[in-house]
Amino acid sequence: MPDIIDVKDLVLVYGDGTKAVDGISFQVQENEFFGFLGPNGAGKSTTIKVLTTLLRKTSGSVAIAGNDINSDSAKIRKMIGVQSQETVVDLDLTARENMMLQGHLHQMRGDALKKRVDELLALVDLTDVADKRASSFSGGMKKRLDLATTLVHGPRLIFLDEPTTGLDPQSRAAVWQYLEKLNKEGVTVFLTTQYMEEADKLCKRLSIIDHGKIVANGTPSELKREIGTDTITLKIEESGLEGQSARAKELLQQTKGITEVLSSDDGLTAYAKDAGFIVADIVRSFDASGIKIASIGVSSPSLDDVFLHHTGRRIRPEEAGQKPAGRTRFGARRPTRQ
Amino acid sequence: MSLLYDTWYLFVRALTKLIRTPILLFFSLLQPIIFLLLFTQLFSKIAAAFPSFGGVSYLAFATPGILLQNAFSSSLQSGTSIVDDLNLGYVQKFLVTPVNRSAILLGRLCCDAFRVVAQSLIILVLAYLLGFSFTTEVPGILAAFFLIAYFGFAWSGISLTIGLTTRSAETVFGLGGILTFPLLFMSTALVPAKGFMPNWMVTVSSYNPISYTVNAVRDLALKGFVFGDIASALLVITGIALVTQAATLYKFRKIVS
Ligand SMILES: Nc1ncnc2c1ncn2[C@@H]1O[C@H](COP(=O)(O)OP(=O)(O)OP(=O)(O)O)[C@@H](O)[C@H]1O
Ligand SMILES: [Mg+2]
């Protein structure tokens, strides 16, 4: 099957000279659930704006379902749905009016549109408040309505820019459910997120972007395997003897296969490839030295570790969660034209 | 076809939003209504004393001016709505749909025109209750409303251009405030020029585009169809509209392409 998104050497330079996207290439297949991960300012939203015809690329090539982004933009707009990072619902209009307007702008009319709107309002659990103005909605309800408005015309491909940022865990889980359902029905999803858990759960494949460049590509498990190190966390029993923990750290460092040891308040953390095999060695050497182990655990790398490995930063959900979910102002600056 | 439909749906949206923010309508009607109730009392004796008022009551003289004043100040606000639509992301949300690009602007302009006509109607009804009337009756009123709406359309281009350029509602409002009073008072909207204003102001007012439109509307109300005045009003308004709406279109194209 041909790629539904095909991006080659895409560059976008804003009017003030900011190179927000610096030569990225990637492909997304039809019906794939694709994740685009990156810290603040990495270039995620900028990429989405180019792929959805809102910003004109500086150079490179972009094709959506075989249509060139510059010459076939009208065709592209018919088949995509876009939820921007800033929640955009018309607060003076009711939920239903917001949906109907979006349908009308997609040339949908009459009963077919009405039926579709009812279906979608039910999908995002807004049926009860369908005829209330959006100004009375909570942040989560607005986000859900925004998502529903992007689906009215039954797009083949949807772009979602941090659709769950600022949502409480319940609403987030609900959005995940809708997205999985849509994807099962054949919709291709392009999702940006700062939640590693979300990317891990939903995305079949992802790219990590940092400073406008793609730094890693692959399925979540491939990416985790690639960085390859497991984490061993170990606690020793308090014996009251001086220097025990220093001795323990030394022992770990001497163990074959361990690449790095860190000590913190709640014990020791060691990194190793295939840690499962090493645990036995550790237990034996600690036994021989008379140091009692209180607990020992092995965990394989999380997507969080992958992210840290590639960007040198850790995205913390609470940090991402602090970003406002309501109306934020759009940048007033525009990009340079070719 | 899609242009017509899309304009209609965006017009309905804009109108719905307008009607649901009645406070906005209230404030923009407040000024002309105060003028109508207060000034017509305040100046009633002056109109009788100065022959340059043409021997009509101040109410008869000033109502056309107040209609134009209302059109003028509402048109200078039309830029604020497009600023909101841009800054809150609505325009971007429209732009990722196949919507006809021009409809985004046309829907807004139609709503502005509708608003000016509706407000004028309210003012006119009030003036009729106070004793005002159009000698040319319904055809004259229709012609006057056309002039008033066209006049509003021409001036709205200024605030749209400023709004699209600065994306700041405050700037648009500020500009409206600065322009309204000098242009209005140095026109024949509320007082006659010759025989009433100092000489220099007579000159200014004779170049003031507001005067041309006021004179044409006033003729329709008090004299009859004076085609020379209507033609020069149309000419002046068309000149302004060409410049301001071309600037608007230019700025708008830059945003949507
Ligand atoms: N309109 C603009 N004009 C100039 N620079 C911009 C503009 N919009 C974004 N930038 C810059 O481009 C870079 C990429 O921004 P972008 O919004 O694409 O990042 P992001 O990955 O979406 O970040 P976030 O997670 O915070 O949403 C940043 O350095 C940002 O400051
Ligand atoms: Mg972003």
Side-chain angles (χ1 to χ4, degrees):
Chain A
M1 218 185 273
D3 295 321
I4 194 159
I5 303 179
D6 186 5
V7 175
K8 283 201 190 83
D9 306 318
L10 175 66
V11 174
L12 186 116
V13 182
Y14 279 107
D16 62 358
T18 309
K19 204 176 214 181
V21 176
D22 189 4
I24 62 172
S25 302
F26 63 90
Q27 283 79 37
V28 178
Q29 283 169 10
E30 182 102 47
N31 201 18
E32 199 169 13
F33 205 126
F34 183 81
F36 213 51
L37 257 66
N40 287 136
K44 304 183 294 294
S45 298
T46 306
T47 305
I48 286 200
K49 284 178 190 158
V50 174
L51 266 47
T52 57
T53 76
L54 278 177
L55 283 182
R56 207 167 255 268
K57 63 183 161 62
T58 308
S59 67
S61 76
V62 176
I64 304 289
N67 300 294
D68 179 77
I69 198 84
N70 283 356
S71 53
D72 297 330
S73 52
K75 250 193 215 157
I76 293 171
R77 289 184 195 118
K78 284 189 184 144
M79 64 172 102
I80 63 171
V82 189
Q83 181 178 8
S84 66
Q85 187 171 350
E86 299 81 0
T87 309
V88 186
V89 294
D90 204 319
L91 299 185
D92 298 326
L93 303 184
T94 66
R96 194 187 304 281
E97 286 166 344
N98 267 287
M99 301 283 289
M100 293 295 285
L101 175 64
Q102 202 66 18
H104 285 142
L105 298 185
H106 276 283
Q107 272 96 50
M108 297 172 74
R109 306 283 183 258
D111 287 341
L113 173 59
K114 279 195 194 122
K115 197 165 149 264
R116 175 81 183 152
V117 166
D118 284 337
E119 268 170 30
L120 285 171
L121 285 172
L123 175 76
V124 296
D125 295 315
L126 291 175
T127 306
D128 294 344
V129 292
D131 296 308
K132 291 219 164 66
R133 290 192 207 167
S135 53
S136 66
F137 288 6
S138 70
M141 289 159 85
K142 285 180 205 158
K143 272 245 160 196
R144 268 148 46 203
L145 175 59
D146 200 10
L147 174 65
T149 59
T150 68
L151 302 173
V152 177
H153 56 297
R156 267 170 79 185
L157 166 63
I158 52 177
F159 293 89
L160 308 171
D161 199 351
E162 303 195 21
T164 62
T165 298
L167 292 189
D168 59 83
Q170 264 169 325
S171 306
R172 185 173 308 149
V175 171
W176 289 350
Q177 254 186 358
Y178 316 143
L179 296 184
E180 280 180 325
K181 186 157 177 271
L182 285 169
N183 185 238
K184 274 213 191 78
E185 288 165 4
V187 177
T188 311
V189 185
F190 183 105
L191 172 96
T192 80
T193 182
Q194 301 206 18
Y195 296 107
M196 296 305 110
E197 187 199 350
E198 179 167 304
D200 208 358
K201 181 171 160 47
L202 296 175
C203 301
K204 305 281 181 317
R205 212 159 54 80
L206 37 97
S207 287
I208 295 178
I209 180 170
D210 193 22
H211 298 301
K213 286 192 159 77
I214 287 181
V215 292
N217 247 324
T219 67
S221 51
E222 271 169 16
L223 286 168
K224 287 182 216 163
R225 221 178 302 129
E226 212 176 281
I227 65 163
T229 42
D230 295 338
T231 307
I232 303 167
T233 43
L234 182 143
K235 253 188 177 161
I236 55 170
E237 250 174 38
E238 295 294 340
S239 62
L241 286 176
E242 280 287 314
Q244 274 234 334
S245 67
R247 175 83 189 112
K249 189 171 178 182
E250 211 173 284
L251 278 174
L252 279 179
Q253 278 162 339
Q254 285 161 2
T255 309
K256 233 177 108 193
I258 287 183
T259 50
E260 197 185 354
V261 183
L262 303 169
S263 51
S264 65
D265 283 348
D266 43 53
L268 294 160
T269 307
Y271 295 100
K273 267 201 159 54
D274 300 325
F277 298 109
I278 298 172
V279 171
D281 295 341
I282 296 173
V283 172
R284 232 174 284 127
S285 70
F286 272 58
D287 240 8
S289 321
I291 302 175
K292 289 214 174 80
I293 296 173
S295 68
I296 185 163
V298 176
S299 60
S300 45
S302 68
L303 216 44
D304 224 358
D305 297 314
V306 174
F307 194 86
L308 177 68
H309 178 83
H310 287 290
T311 67
R313 266 164 289 176
R314 204 176 266 286
I315 293 186
R316 288 192 195 79
E318 62 269 21
E319 192 179 282
Q322 273 167 8
K323 299 206 318 186
R327 293 169 152 198
T328 43
R329 297 219 141 202
F330 276 71
R333 294 167 292 177
R334 283 182 299 281
T336 45
R337 245 152 291 277
Q338 279 168 281
Chain B
M1 251 344 232
S2 83
L3 175 66
L4 279 186
Y5 278 116
D6 291 348
T7 302
W8 168 253
Y9 290 121
L10 289 171
F11 163 70
V12 170
R13 163 191 179 259
L15 196 63
T16 310
K17 284 172 75 76
L18 188 68
I19 290 168
R20 290 184 186 169
T21 1
I23 192 85
L24 229 129
L25 289 174
F26 174 75
F27 277 117
S28 74
L29 267 173
L30 198 61
Q31 204 188 350
I33 288 177
I34 287 177
F35 273 38
L36 196 65
L37 298 178
L38 213 64
F39 279 29
T40 52
Q41 293 300 305
L42 190 64
F43 294 135
S44 56
K45 291 217 166 107
I46 294 187
F50 280 84
S52 48
F53 279 92
V56 298
S57 72
Y58 188 70
L59 177 73
F61 183 86
T63 299
I66 292 170
L67 286 170
L68 264 298
Q69 173 224 344
N70 168 62
F72 188 68
S73 48
S74 350
S75 71
L76 288 179
Q77 279 174 28
S78 66
T80 58
S81 317
I82 204 124
V83 168
D84 274 352
D85 281 354
L86 275 171
N87 289 342
L88 298 174
Y90 299 135
V91 171
Q92 290 84 340
K93 188 162 178 165
F94 298 150
L95 287 176
V96 291
T97 72
V99 69
N100 186 303
R101 277 32 200 159
S102 313
I104 298 174
L105 202 57
L106 273 177
R108 164 68 42 210
L109 288 170
C110 289
C111 177
D112 288 342
F114 186 89
R115 172 181 171 178
V116 166
V117 170
Q119 291 189 355
S120 300
L121 210 62
I122 293 173
I123 296 169
L124 194 65
V125 166
L126 222 85
Y128 262 80
L129 291 177
L130 294 174
F132 175 81
S133 70
F134 258 82
T135 49
T136 48
E137 298 182 328
V138 176
I141 293 177
L142 289 179
F145 275 25
F146 174 76
L147 282 173
I148 291 167
Y150 190 30
F151 174 84
F153 166 76
W155 287 102
S156 70
I158 293 192
S159 80
L160 286 170
T161 306
I162 306 270
L164 292 171
T165 310
T166 63
R167 293 199 179 194
S168 141
E170 291 79 8
T171 312
V172 175
F173 260 120
L175 170 98
I178 291 169
L179 277 181
T180 306
F181 283 101
L183 270 171
L184 197 72
F185 285 117
M186 287 193 273
S187 78
T188 52
L190 299 169
V191 292
K194 287 206 189 72
F196 192 85
M197 294 181 185
N199 282 340
W200 68 270
M201 215 186 254
V202 172
T203 315
V204 174
S205 108
S206 72
Y207 287 108
N208 188 336
I210 297 185
S211 302
Y212 285 89
T213 319
V214 170
N215 294 344
V217 175
R218 186 171 288 140
D219 285 348
L220 286 168
L222 305 178
K223 289 186 195 158
F225 285 91
V226 182
F227 289 101
D229 276 1
I230 295 176
S232 45
L234 283 176
L235 211 69
V236 169
I237 298 173
T238 304
I240 298 171
L242 279 179
V243 174
T244 63
Q245 295 298 343
T248 303
L249 213 60
Y250 172 76
K251 284 289 166 192
F252 184 71
R253 281 256 176 82
K254 269 185 119 170
I255 285 172
V256 302
S257 71

